[in-house]
Amino acid sequence: MSQTAETTLADKIGPNLPYLRRYARALTGSRDRGDAYAVTTLEAILAEPDQFSNSATPKVALFTVFHSIWATSGAQFSSDEDGAAAEAQRHLSKLTDDTREVLLLRTLEEFSAADVAQIMNKSSEEVDQLLQIAYDEMAKSVSGAVMIIEDEAIIAIDLENIAADMGHRITGVARTEDAAVSLFNDERPDLILSDIQLADGSSGIDAVNRITEKAGDIPVIFITAYPERLLTGEGPEPAFLISKPYTEEQVRSAISQAMFFASSAILKA
């Protein structure tokens, strides 16, 4: 491949890579696994540039290559996992094939139904059906305790209502880093929803880091107006990320996916 072609390809892929990494992490529930699939996608494109179709937008083309890989490996469940990972796979194995992918592509990444159909090599009718199944299964999937770190009262109330409507219990709302640590010490949640910038100038990321240092791996959904700043590949990064301004569907789908990876969440009958 010529240097000019490589530059053109990099220009097309670069702006969309953070969103592929966000999507891959949400699918796998893991920063490392998600990023590994993103790297594999890039390697596949470099090896066979023709896979990156010029007939699609760069983002659609990138996600299409990812899905050609994911469909043959990532979507399969392993028998080698144990502990929380095995429990997550037990939860996920009960879902209809391809529903999580459709849900995340439509809500988190905001692709059109036509784009999702192209990415997943399905018809638009199949995409619509899978999305409805995803919503139905999400409503009866898992329940748990949710902690919210958010300094804006209106947003905090909105997040509380969304999570509660999904059948989750709210342990409380913290407006600062210290309050978040204190709230966690009062009751350990199954999932944390956290803003980045907090009321006193403290950081939601710092609060979560203090919590996970002593509590282990709890799923965390970060909410930020600048998601690309947290998906640079440099330093610790979140597995679940929602952009501001968010939609209710984005929050609901992110919560549902993250809760599958919460070790103490309860699988509903």
Side-chain angles (χ1 to χ4, degrees):
M1 182 187 303
S2 70
Q3 184 174 356
T4 301
E6 288 181 349
T7 301
T8 301
L9 197 57
D11 289 343
K12 292 179 179 179
I13 292 175
N16 296 298
L17 185 57
Y19 303 102
L20 179 68
R21 295 174 65 212
R22 173 174 68 179
Y23 173 67
R25 290 174 179 191
L27 272 183
T28 61
S30 164
R31 177 190 63 195
D32 293 340
R33 281 196 70 205
D35 285 354
Y37 276 104
V39 169
T40 300
T41 301
L42 296 180
E43 291 173 343
I45 293 172
L46 290 174
E48 297 183 47
D50 288 345
Q51 291 187 84
F52 194 80
S53 172
N54 290 324
S55 63
T57 65
K59 187 174 182 181
V60 169
L62 180 62
F63 275 69
T64 300
V65 176
F66 171 90
H67 261 277
S68 69
I69 297 167
W70 174 256
T72 59
S73 59
Q76 307 301 315
F77 294 104
S78 169
S79 59
D80 298 330
E81 304 283 6
D82 55 18
E87 187 69 6
Q89 292 200 357
R90 184 174 75 87
H91 289 181
L92 294 171
S93 67
K94 296 179 180 294
L95 302 180
T96 302
D97 290 347
D98 297 328
T99 51
R100 293 178 60 239
E101 290 86 340
V102 168
L103 180 67
L104 290 170
L105 288 169
R106 288 286 281 129
T107 59
L108 188 65
E109 300 304 330
E110 299 184 281
F111 282 109
S112 68
D115 285 343
V116 176
Q118 182 172 348
I119 290 168
M120 298 188 65
N121 194 28
K122 296 184 181 296
S123 68
S124 294
E125 291 74 17
E126 288 177 301
V127 167
D128 290 339
Q129 291 171 358
L130 287 168
L131 182 62
Q132 186 55 57
I133 293 171
Y135 281 127
D136 292 342
E137 291 183 340
M138 184 171 65
K140 57 183 181 182
S141 54
V142 293
S143 63
V146 177
M147 170 181 163
I148 297 171
I149 306 174
E150 172 60 62
D151 63 332
E152 295 188 36
I154 293 177
I155 294 177
I157 291 172
D158 189 42
L159 295 174
E160 282 187 272
N161 289 338
I162 293 172
D165 286 345
M166 295 177 68
H168 305 302
R169 182 173 57 83
I170 311 302
T171 66
V173 176
R175 299 181 67 247
T176 66
E177 177 184 335
D178 289 340
V181 174
S182 177
L183 178 60
F184 177 86
N185 289 335
D186 291 338
E187 180 179 357
R188 178 188 174 117
D190 300 302
L191 172 67
I192 299 174
L193 279 169
S194 180
D195 193 5
I196 303 296
Q197 301 294 332
L198 301 179
D200 61 349
S202 59
S203 165
I205 294 176
D206 289 342
V208 168
N209 286 341
R210 287 174 60 186
I211 288 170
T212 54
E213 276 178 5
K214 58 181 179 180
D217 191 16
I218 294 177
V220 179
I221 300 172
F222 282 106
I223 304 172
T224 174
Y226 305 100
E228 64 279 1
R229 295 182 183 177
L230 293 180
L231 293 169
T232 63
E234 300 174 0
E237 296 177 334
F240 299 96
L241 192 63
I242 299 175
S243 303
K244 284 184 176 180
Y246 59 78
T247 66
E248 179 176 341
E249 288 77 13
Q250 287 174 326
V251 176
R252 291 173 67 88
S253 61
I255 289 176
S256 71
Q257 305 313 305
M259 194 64 78
F260 281 116
F261 299 94
S263 60
S264 54
I266 299 171
L267 181 65
K268 294 181 181 177

